[in-house]
Amino acid sequence: MKTIPLRPLIREDFAPFGDVIEAEGAYHFAINGGMAERYHDLALVELAGDKARPMISLARGEPYALPLTLTFVERHPLGSQAFFPLSPYPFLVVVAPDSGGTAGEPLAFVTGPGQGINIRRNVWHGILTPLEGVSDFVIVDRGGEGNNLEEFHYPAPFLIADTAG
Amino acid sequence: MKTIPLRPLIREDFAPFGDVIEAEGAYHFAINGGMAERYHDLALVELAGDKARPMISLARGEPYALPLTLTFVERHPLGSQAFFPLSPYPFLVVVAPDSGGTAGEPLAFVTGPGQGINIRRNVWHGILTPLEGVSDFVIVDRGGEGNNLEEFHYPAPFLIADTAG
């Protein structure tokens, strides 16, 4: 089984797949007479198809243990999907380039404190994968009509592992 | 100066002004083979006017002390505005009914753990007001063209105070 190493979540590295939502390094300005700072417009929310609208949801996820066997990825043809953590634990962000309508070899990012993500429309990605502890998230994704889910099952699974350990 | 007492943030009480975003009491379903629970579609995101689009931002706010003197409120004619806290502290949610195009007497809600809010389009509200400590938030509001801000300055200020103390 091919091993996919973990890599830190860095805005530039993640850019082909979506946005890293974090205050660090982001455009910001003061609001409310200087009592607050706004880190502005950090994600491209994509809403395609009939009756498309943004939705705000919450999720609570059980943690996964590493190493983890990855057998499939999914994508949403009609909208982006943002996850921002409410818990102090990291989460795993698996994404994969498209390869002629199927998913290529995955990449595995691990979030640091204060980092969320927005996965672009039609980008192959893994399911929500908290690490270390039960984790809550804010989700911003698309509501509307039409089929917004495709799955791709890899012919051979990958092992996602902390190869530095 | 008239005193406005604090009240707990309860979904039914806040309904005329917007949504309480919280898992407690919300419609939910299992995802990812039962590893996570999704608390689904908790806020009505409103996007009016030219080139309207949803934006995801972060904010970090200095805390305010109570009692607090409220001199003005604002509203956004073109979009809703959601705030979800990333910090363990409560925040103050001031809203006011409309009274012929100006703001009526305000109400002052205080959030509990795990509670965010979505203020409806055109609802008079106070600025972001963290209590007790420096607080971070996820914000989902509207980007686009047009004037999306109105302010109303009360002819006489109100005192927002914890009258139970």
Side-chain angles (χ1 to χ4, degrees):
Chain A
M1 194 158 39
K2 180 157 188 180
T3 297
I4 304 296
L6 302 186
R7 56 181 78 202
L9 182 62
I10 295 168
R11 188 174 274 132
E12 292 69 27
D13 296 347
F14 192 69
F17 308 102
D19 309 295
V20 176
I21 302 172
E22 64 176 332
E24 181 74 28
Y27 168 64
H28 58 100
F29 51 87
I31 57 174
N32 300 344
M35 284 291 280
E37 201 71 18
R38 180 175 165 123
Y39 302 85
H40 185 69
D41 197 11
L42 304 179
L44 178 66
V45 179
E46 296 172 293
L47 305 168
D50 278 355
K51 300 191 181 173
R53 63 187 178 87
M55 287 197 303
I56 302 174
S57 301
L58 297 173
R60 170 163 293 177
E62 296 292 325
Y64 290 74
L66 295 174
L68 181 153
T69 303
L70 180 77
T71 61
F72 78 103
V73 287
E74 61 185 35
R75 65 178 178 181
H76 307 296
L78 299 178
S80 57
Q81 197 170 40
F83 297 90
F84 201 92
L86 304 171
S87 303
Y89 306 112
F91 63 105
L92 183 67
V93 182
V94 168
V95 288
D98 187 65
S99 176
T102 67
E105 186 172 305
L107 290 81
F109 296 91
V110 176
T111 61
Q115 289 188 320
I117 52 147
N118 183 54
I119 297 167
R120 284 212 203 304
R121 182 163 82 92
N122 232 15
V123 165
W124 295 110
H125 61 275
I127 59 172
L128 183 62
T129 313
L131 301 173
E132 298 184 18
V134 173
S135 298
D136 293 345
F137 296 85
V138 173
I139 303 175
V140 179
D141 60 4
R142 175 201 176 269
E145 297 186 349
N147 178 19
N148 193 22
L149 178 64
E150 291 177 20
E151 287 189 2
F152 175 70
H153 289 257
Y154 285 109
F158 294 93
L159 188 72
I160 295 177
D162 187 354
T163 54
Chain B
M1 194 155 43
K2 180 157 187 180
T3 296
I4 305 297
L6 302 185
R7 57 180 80 203
L9 183 62
I10 295 168
R11 188 174 276 131
E12 291 70 26
D13 296 346
F14 192 68
F17 309 102
D19 309 294
V20 176
I21 302 172
E22 65 177 330
E24 181 73 28
Y27 168 65
H28 57 99
F29 51 87
I31 57 174
N32 300 343
M35 284 293 278
E37 201 71 17
R38 179 174 166 124
Y39 301 86
H40 184 68
D41 197 10
L42 304 180
L44 178 65
V45 179
E46 296 171 293
L47 303 168
D50 277 357
K51 299 190 180 173
R53 64 187 178 83
M55 287 198 302
I56 302 174
S57 301
L58 298 172
R60 170 163 295 178
E62 297 292 325
Y64 290 75
L66 294 175
L68 182 152
T69 303
L70 181 78
T71 60
F72 78 103
V73 287
E74 61 185 36
R75 65 178 177 180
H76 307 296
L78 299 178
S80 57
Q81 197 170 40
F83 297 90
F84 202 92
L86 304 172
S87 303
Y89 306 113
F91 63 105
L92 183 67
V93 182
V94 169
V95 288
D98 186 66
S99 175
T102 67
E105 185 171 305
L107 289 80
F109 296 92
V110 176
T111 61
Q115 289 187 319
I117 53 148
N118 183 53
I119 297 167
R120 282 210 204 304
R121 180 163 84 92
N122 232 14
V123 165
W124 295 110
H125 61 275
I127 59 173
L128 183 62
T129 314
L131 301 173
E132 298 184 17
V134 174
S135 299
D136 293 346
F137 296 85
V138 173
I139 302 175
V140 179
D141 59 4
R142 175 200 176 268
E145 298 186 348
N147 178 19
N148 192 23
L149 178 63
E150 290 178 20
E151 285 188 4
F152 175 70
H153 289 257
Y154 284 109
F158 294 92
L159 189 71
I160 296 177
D162 187 354
T163 54

